[in-house]
């Protein structure tokens, strides 16, 4: 029996995703758990795996296409079934796709979108391509498809527009020969029959000065990636819907830096933790002291977690990802350091797994390596807080006895979701974090 594979909802709340590349081709045999395609989400590129065995009958979406969740992307033939029979079964005599609403035109789930048979004069295409064609007034029957099986993909539509064909029903204006002839006759009638020389010389006519226009500013449009679009959407939603409040603390980190230096010089130490590793462990320890802060907001309740899982912001060339270290409170500093290094490496290679992008209640964002001393970060929903960590720097500090001394300080800013955290609760957590980071031996216990 044929099976229609649809674009999955890789992360909660996704409405569309980009299929970066297929790992299979028509005629390939696949088994359950085998990667079918690489899909770009708002956080990373992940492999989409088959949930059943079969033979690839057809690929319905081309590489690089952005399609709605639930859109058919592949047809699998059942055991002993030919590709033609699988496609016929998948199409099932459905109505023409142009006569149906696509997923973006309905209030119902996108999964109801059918795989449809091609009609004469029509072209196979995705809902997104059909929508763009309608908006641009382009008849898909006039577009040459380069996708699988001659399917029209977005690049075909863009190429069609670049070639300059007018939209359907819009013809290029034809020259008005009658009007042009009438203008010519009027000019001829106004001219004298002969040219005569006047007795008085006329002043030479100087050409009018040419107006100099400002040179056009040069620029390059860089198309949005799927990750950049989703980052923009999610963070805009965060700033518009999450009531942020901010708390700032200056932490003395001389003892932490000395402890790290001692670990680095110890030949028996398996790894040298980074300052950020210490920060992540200190944040987890603070949640253990103030468990009421280890929460997120949901529409029906405030959800409190029993374990501490913390996301860490990782900068990429084209965006930002936040892989999650699960159960930080149960891990050693060495384990956290190794896990973090592995997650960062795979995040930059685009090889994070879905489970590594989900969960947790809190995020750590560190810009200290760029020399930034303080900043405020935007909360990454559904987390209820994010700690912005600045660079450690030598600063003058006045002691309790009034003496002035130089101390290494690190400024951190807590952005809190006021729906889940009150200011006093956020202050208690930040005070606990400050005490732990200033007494780093507590992190090792």
């Amino acid at each position: 029996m044929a099976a229609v594979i649809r674009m999955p909802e890789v992360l909660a709340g996704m409405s569309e995703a980009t299929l970066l590349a297929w790992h299979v081709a028509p005629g390939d045999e696949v088994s359950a758990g085998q990667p079918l395609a690489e899909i770009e989400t708002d956080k990373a590129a992940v492999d989409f795996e088959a949930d059943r065995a079969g033979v690839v009958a057809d690929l319905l979406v081309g590489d690089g296409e952005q399609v709605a969740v639930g859109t058919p992307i592949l047809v699998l033939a059942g055991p002993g079934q030919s590709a033609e029979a699988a496609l016929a079964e998948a199409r099932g005599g459905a109505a023409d796709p142009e006569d149906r609403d696509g997923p973006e035109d309905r209030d119902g789930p996108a999964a109801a979108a059918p795989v449809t048979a091609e009609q004469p004069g029509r072209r196979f295409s995705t809902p997104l391509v059909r929508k763009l064609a309608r908006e641009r007034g382009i008849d898909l029957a006039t577009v040459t498809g380069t996708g699988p099986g001659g399917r029209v993909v977005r690049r075909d539509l863009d190429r069609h527009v670049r070639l300059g064909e007018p939209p359907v029903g819009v013809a290029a204006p034809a020259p008005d020969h009658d009007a042009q002839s009438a203008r010519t006759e009027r000019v001829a009638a106004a001219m004298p029959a002969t040219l005569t020389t006047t007795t008085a010389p006329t002043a030479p006519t100087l050409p009018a000065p040419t107006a100099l226009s400002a040179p056009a500013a040069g620029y390059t449009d860089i198309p949005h990636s799927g990750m950049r679009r989703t980052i923009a959407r999610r963070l805009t939603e965060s700033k518009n819907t999450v009531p942020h409040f901010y708390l700032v603390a200056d932490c003395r980190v001389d003892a932490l830096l000395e402890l790290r230096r001692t670990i680095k010089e110890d030949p028996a130490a398996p790894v040298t933790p980074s300052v950020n590793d210490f920060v992540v462990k200190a944040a987890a320890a603070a949640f253990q002291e103030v468990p009421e802060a280890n929460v997120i907001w949901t529409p029906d309740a405030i959800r409190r977690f029993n374990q501490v899982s913390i996301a860490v912001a990782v900068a990429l060339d084209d965006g930002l990802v936040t892989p999650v270290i699960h159960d930080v409170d149960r891990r050693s500093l060495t384990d956290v350091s190794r896990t973090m290094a592995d997650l960062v490496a795979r995040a930059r290679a685009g090889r994070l797994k879905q489970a590594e992008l989900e969960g947790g209640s809190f995020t750590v964002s560190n810009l200290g390596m760029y020399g930034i001393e303080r900043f405020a970060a935007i909360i990454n929903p559904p987390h209820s807080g994010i700690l912005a960590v600045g660079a450690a720097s030598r600063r003058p500090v006045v002691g309790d006895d009034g003496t002035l001394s130089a101390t290494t300080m690190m400024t951190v800013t807590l952005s809190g979701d006021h729906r889940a955290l009150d200011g006093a609760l956020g202050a208690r957590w930040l005070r606990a974090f400050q005490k732990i980071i200033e007494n780093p031996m507590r992190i090792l216990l």
Side-chain angles (χ1 to χ4, degrees):
M1 180 177 181
V4 178
I5 309 300
R6 303 177 185 274
M7 176 63 79
E9 186 179 14
V10 183
L11 292 177
M14 282 185 55
S15 60
E16 59 184 18
T18 301
L19 195 150
L20 293 179
W22 284 106
H23 297 324
V24 295
D28 288 353
E29 292 187 8
V30 299
S31 57
Q34 177 180 338
L36 296 176
E38 185 178 19
I39 296 175
E40 184 183 50
T41 72
D42 59 329
K43 296 182 178 180
V46 299
D47 283 336
F48 171 46
E49 299 178 349
D51 60 357
R52 68 192 72 192
V55 176
V56 178
D58 195 12
L59 305 178
L60 308 180
V61 173
D63 291 353
E65 282 199 65
Q66 186 176 23
V67 298
V69 168
T71 301
I73 60 175
L74 178 147
V75 176
L76 277 183
Q81 188 179 34
S82 66
E84 293 76 11
L87 288 173
E89 180 184 340
R91 292 165 182 166
D96 184 76
E98 298 293 338
D99 299 327
R100 291 180 177 266
D101 290 334
E104 70 281 355
D105 300 323
R106 299 194 298 269
D107 293 331
V115 178
T116 57
E118 185 174 4
Q119 301 288 332
R122 303 285 189 175
R123 290 284 189 273
F124 267 150
S125 59
T126 65
L128 176 63
V129 168
R130 294 198 297 273
K131 179 181 178 183
L132 292 175
R134 287 195 300 269
E135 292 174 349
R136 299 175 183 179
I138 297 173
D139 184 357
L140 288 177
T142 65
V143 181
T144 301
T146 61
R151 187 167 291 102
V152 177
V153 296
R154 185 168 183 174
R155 62 175 176 268
D156 300 326
L157 203 63
D158 294 339
R159 183 180 63 251
H160 184 84
V161 173
R162 286 197 304 270
L163 292 178
E165 291 90 342
V168 176
V170 179
D176 190 342
H177 297 290
D178 293 338
Q180 184 174 355
S181 299
R183 286 194 299 270
T184 302
E185 292 173 1
R186 289 196 298 271
V187 172
M191 294 180 64
T194 59
L195 296 176
T196 58
T197 304
T198 60
T199 55
T202 59
T205 301
L206 298 177
T210 303
L212 298 178
S213 58
Y219 61 88
T220 302
D221 286 338
I222 303 173
H224 298 309
S225 65
M227 178 184 294
R228 177 54 58 192
R229 288 181 184 276
T230 309
I231 288 173
R233 174 179 58 81
R234 286 172 59 84
L235 295 186
T236 299
E237 290 175 357
S238 176
K239 288 295 287 185
N240 288 337
T241 63
V242 177
H244 288 56
F245 70 91
Y246 306 95
L247 302 175
V248 182
D250 292 322
C251 306
R252 299 171 184 259
V253 292
D254 295 278
L256 185 148
L257 296 178
E258 181 61 31
L259 175 60
R260 183 177 182 272
R261 188 178 302 111
T262 300
I263 296 174
K264 184 177 182 179
E265 294 173 353
D266 185 355
V271 296
T272 301
S274 67
V275 171
N276 205 52
D277 296 332
F278 279 96
V279 169
V280 171
K281 276 294 293 181
F287 279 119
Q288 288 181 291
E289 290 196 10
V290 189
E292 309 94 292
N294 189 22
V295 296
I296 62 172
W297 173 267
T298 73
D300 300 319
I302 291 179
R303 180 173 300 164
R304 182 184 296 180
F305 294 97
N306 298 325
Q307 291 81 35
V308 181
S309 297
I310 296 178
V312 179
V314 178
L316 306 179
D317 292 337
D318 57 348
L320 185 75
V321 295
T322 51
V324 178
I325 305 178
H326 293 278
D327 301 330
V328 180
D329 53 323
R330 302 180 181 181
R331 296 174 182 261
S332 66
L333 180 61
T334 297
D335 190 12
V336 167
S337 182
R338 285 173 171 167
T339 302
M340 189 73 263
D342 175 63
L343 289 174
V344 170
R346 288 192 291 111
R348 290 173 177 162
R351 289 295 179 268
L352 291 173
K353 299 177 181 178
Q354 180 177 346
E356 295 167 336
L357 296 168
E358 299 176 336
S361 62
F362 196 76
T363 307
V364 169
S365 178
N366 192 337
L367 293 180
M369 65 287 293
Y370 298 102
I372 303 301
E373 289 198 351
R374 68 173 64 206
F375 68 103
I378 302 174
I379 295 171
N380 181 32
H383 293 174
S384 62
I386 182 170
L387 188 69
V389 182
S393 60
R394 299 288 287 177
R395 305 176 197 173
V397 175
V398 178
D400 295 336
D401 57 356
T403 59
L404 185 67
S405 62
T407 303
T408 306
M409 305 291 289
M410 182 177 71
T411 300
V412 296
T413 304
L414 171 65
S415 303
D417 179 353
H418 220 319
R419 299 172 303 175
L421 302 175
D422 292 327
L425 179 57
R428 285 173 51 206
W429 181 90
L430 189 57
R431 179 57 177 161
F433 171 85
Q434 183 184 38
K435 288 183 177 180
I436 295 168
I437 207 75
E438 290 182 350
N439 298 275
M441 289 302 297
R442 296 176 57 183
I443 298 174
L444 302 181
L445 300 178

